Amino acid sequence: MLTIGAFAKESRLSPKALRLYDELGLIVPARVDPFNGYRMYEPEQLERARLVGLLRRLGMPLARIRVICDLPQTRAAAEISAYWAEVAAKHAQRADLVAFLVEQLTGKDRSMFEVHQRDLPDRVLLTATRHVTADQVGAFTMELINRLAGMPALDGIQGAPFLLFHGEVSADSDGPAEFCRPVPDEVADALHERFPDLTVRTDPAHKEAYVRLTTEQLGAAGALRAMQALGEWAGEREFTGPPRQLFYADPRTAGKDEPVSDLAGPF
C-alpha cells in the first residue's frame, strides 16, 4: 500500500487535494489508520486518481468528475466529449462578446442589423414566469416549448412562442422572464385546464420593431448588437413594453445562416 505522500507523488495530486477528494468520496483511501489517521492507498487506485487530475486540468467540476469516474470507459469517454463541446460553445460565445466589446470601445460597428416593422393582432397567451439567470434561460425556454409541443397554435409568426424580459437577465440578474405561447381563443380554456399552473392572458394588438437573428448570431453578443440596433432605430421614442425574443426554428438543426429568432420591441 502507498502512503498519502507516495500516492500523491505517483498520481501527481497534492496531499491537500487527496484529502479533499476523500471528503467528497471521489478518491477514498483503501485504509485509514484508526490511531493516527494516516491514509493508505492501493496501487490500483492510481488510474482513477490520474483521471481525476486530468479532468481537473480541463476545468471540469468535481461533481461531474465523480459521475464520470463511476461510468464504464465508453460512456465516460462520451461524457468527456460532451463536456468539452459545452466548453467550446461557451468559449465561442465569450470570444464573440469580446469582439463586441472591442467594437464598442474602438468605435467600430460591424453589426449590420436591419430593423423591420410588423403589426401583430390581439392574441391569447399561455404563460409562465420565472426568475432565471443567463445560464438558466435556455433550459427554461426549452422546458416550456417541449411541454407545449403539439398543442393547437396560430399560423405563422403570430403563433411563435416568445420570451418577455421583465428585468435584466445576465450572469448576475435573474429577470424575471415570462415564457408566452400564443394559442387559438377557442382552445384557451381547455388548455388552461390541462396546464393549470400556467397563466392565461391577452397580448394586446400592437406594432413592433424587430431584428432577425440567424443561428450563428444567437448568443450574448448577437443579442447585444440586435438590441443596440433597435435602440438606435427607436431614437428618443420609447418602446411601450419589455423586449421580447421570438422562436420559430430550432437552432440545433438549422443552418448557421438560417433565421431562427427575432428580438423585438413593441411601440
Side-chain angles (χ1 to χ4, degrees):
M1 299 185 76
L2 302 172
T3 65
I4 190 171
F7 191 78
K9 182 177 180 181
E10 291 292 331
S11 65
R12 299 181 182 176
L13 297 172
S14 69
K16 179 180 179 180
L18 287 172
R19 284 190 283 269
L20 172 62
Y21 299 159
D22 179 16
E23 294 173 4
L24 297 176
L26 187 55
I27 304 174
V28 180
R31 179 175 178 272
V32 177
D33 191 294
F35 298 104
N36 55 32
Y38 288 171
R39 294 170 169 85
M40 304 295 291
Y41 297 83
E42 296 283 1
E44 291 77 11
Q45 293 180 275
L46 285 171
E47 182 178 357
R48 181 184 179 98
R50 288 167 181 156
L51 175 60
V52 170
L54 291 172
L55 293 176
R56 284 301 287 160
R57 289 176 66 180
L58 291 178
M60 185 179 289
L62 290 172
R64 193 158 183 173
I65 290 176
R66 182 175 181 178
V67 172
I68 288 176
C69 285
D70 292 333
L71 292 175
Q73 288 189 346
T74 302
R75 288 185 58 195
E79 285 294 319
I80 293 170
S81 295
Y83 167 76
W84 192 246
E86 294 171 14
V87 171
K90 289 179 180 179
H91 179 75
Q93 291 178 359
R94 290 169 182 162
D96 196 27
L97 186 56
V98 168
F100 172 78
L101 291 171
V102 171
E103 291 164 15
Q104 295 298 297
L105 295 172
T106 57
K108 298 177 181 179
D109 181 11
R110 64 177 183 87
S111 61
M112 302 298 290
F113 278 116
E114 185 177 355
V115 178
H116 307 275
Q117 300 178 46
R118 62 186 166 216
D119 292 298
L120 288 174
D122 183 277
R123 296 171 296 170
V124 175
L125 306 175
L126 277 181
T127 78
T129 302
R130 190 177 300 174
H131 286 273
V132 287
T133 54
D135 61 343
Q136 298 168 332
V137 67
F140 167 58
T141 304
M142 289 308 302
E143 173 193 334
L144 272 298
I145 287 178
N146 292 334
R147 186 179 176 196
L148 298 175
M151 297 299 103
L154 302 177
D155 293 330
I157 203 70
Q158 298 179 19
F162 59 93
L163 281 179
L164 280 174
F165 296 96
H166 295 288
E168 182 73 16
V169 174
S170 66
D172 301 317
S173 300
D174 61 355
E178 181 183 13
F179 177 87
C180 303
R181 168 69 144 75
V183 297
D185 294 9
E186 62 271 17
V187 300
D189 290 340
L191 288 176
H192 190 221
E193 289 182 7
R194 181 171 177 180
F195 304 102
D197 58 312
L198 303 185
T199 299
V200 176
R201 69 174 184 83
T202 300
D203 185 38
H206 64 275
K207 293 180 178 289
E208 67 181 23
Y210 68 95
V211 170
R212 189 140 283 180
L213 298 175
T214 65
T215 301
E216 190 175 35
Q217 292 167 332
L218 287 177
L224 287 169
R225 291 189 180 101
M227 292 303 297
Q228 183 180 50
L230 286 172
E232 292 174 354
W233 174 87
E236 296 182 359
R237 174 173 46 188
E238 292 187 5
F239 289 111
T240 57
R244 57 183 63 193
Q245 183 172 11
L246 290 77
F247 306 95
Y248 46 81
D250 190 342
R252 297 171 297 182
T253 56
K256 68 175 185 178
D257 296 324
E258 184 177 343
V260 294
S261 179
D262 292 349
L263 280 174
F267 66 95

